[in-house]
Amino acid sequence: MAATHGEYRGYLRNAADMEAGQHRFHPVQSSETTYRPLLFGTLAVMGLLQVASSVAILLHLTGYLQEVDLSTAPRGPIEEVQTEPVLNALRDPKRKRCKTSKESLPSAHLPIQTKTKYPPKLEAVVVNWDGEQRYRNRMEYQDSKLLVGESGFYYVYTKICFRYYRLDGDSPTRPPVDVSNTQLIHYVYHESSKHKSTAKLMKTGSTMHWNLTTYNMYCAQQGRGVRLDQGDALYVEVSNAWMLDLEGEGTYFGAIKLGN
């Protein structure tokens, strides 16, 4: 039993030693607990420093760009800085004009020819336009036709006015026709140089019931876009052409190029 009791005491002593040994490890665990916040704090500080340096670089670059813009801009009011390039372009006659300006676009505007006498009949005839008062830019006019000098997409327009009135003692100058049921129609035709054909582009008109003893007038206008080739021709036909209003403000014909 003595031996057994001694072994039991040894066992207890060993258990006590073990507990003592476990207490010796506590300082190591506490040191790890101290190092972790320090490590995290160091990483956080490094991250903040990196963000701060990035912001500082960005601010530096932004300030550098602003400094360059301010140094290269002319010193003066804002209005002068904005308008100076435009004024210089207008003052310099050697500068080339923009190719898309309105002055460079092929175009034409033709008022009616006032000296033409049309027969008193219903059939449609070709309208003659004024060769002296006309406006043309890179387009030709020949034999009552507007000739296309440059291929592209054009806007073609026309306005026709008819009028009829009969005053006292004016009967000898007016043809003896019935105007109580008058067809006033006008057409715009396109002659294609490529296909050697003629097509009707536009048509408009009306049947008018006029009175012989009063002033009568009717106007119609039309326009459309169409693709035209170099060498094509445009012309206008009207019925009852002897009733045409021979004033350029009311009866005219034209075209303008919009693009390629």
Side-chain angles (χ1 to χ4, degrees), residues 19-206:
E19 291 179 359
Q22 291 178 357
H23 286 292
R24 284 195 298 267
F25 286 103
H26 288 169
V28 177
Q29 292 179 356
S30 62
S31 63
E32 290 181 357
T33 305
T34 304
Y35 292 151
R36 286 182 181 178
L38 181 61
L39 178 60
F40 291 152
T42 303
L43 293 177
V45 172
M46 292 176 64
L48 292 176
L49 291 176
Q50 185 175 2
V51 172
S53 61
S54 300
V55 173
I57 293 174
L58 180 61
L59 293 176
H60 175 71
L61 292 177
T62 305
Y64 174 76
L65 293 177
Q66 293 176 353
E67 182 179 356
V68 171
D69 291 339
L70 293 175
S71 61
T72 57
R75 296 180 180 179
I78 297 178
E79 292 79 8
E80 295 181 3
V81 174
Q82 294 176 349
T83 58
E84 185 176 359
V86 180
L87 295 177
N88 292 337
L90 295 176
R91 293 169 184 169
D92 190 356
K94 297 181 180 180
R95 286 182 176 268
K96 295 182 179 180
R97 294 181 178 180
C98 181
K99 294 183 179 180
T100 58
S101 64
K102 294 183 179 180
E103 295 182 0
S104 65
L105 293 174
S107 57
H109 181 84
L110 309 174
I112 192 171
Q113 173 62 258
T114 59
K115 299 179 182 181
T116 304
K117 299 298 181 180
Y118 299 98
K121 60 180 182 180
L122 174 64
E123 289 78 8
V125 297
V126 179
V127 180
N128 296 322
W129 306 99
D130 195 338
E132 297 180 358
Q133 302 297 326
R134 65 192 178 189
Y135 165 79
R136 292 183 298 104
N137 181 35
R138 296 161 62 185
M139 298 187 76
E140 299 296 331
Y141 175 72
Q142 184 178 1
D143 298 331
S144 304
K145 297 179 181 180
L146 187 60
L147 305 180
V148 179
E150 182 179 317
S151 300
F153 188 78
Y154 286 76
Y155 180 76
V156 182
Y157 62 91
T158 177
K159 181 183 178 184
I160 300 293
C161 285
F162 300 89
R163 65 179 179 176
Y164 181 84
Y165 61 95
R166 194 169 187 175
L167 301 177
D168 295 338
D170 194 31
S171 57
T173 63
R174 295 294 180 180
V177 296
D178 184 12
V179 295
S180 61
N181 189 23
T182 307
Q183 294 182 4
L184 304 177
I185 305 175
H186 83 277
Y187 313 87
V188 179
Y189 288 92
H190 168 216
E191 286 185 354
S192 175
S193 60
K194 180 184 298 185
H195 303 288
K196 306 299 180 182
S197 61
T198 302
K200 187 184 299 180
L201 286 182
M202 294 178 282
K203 172 185 177 181
T204 187
S206 179

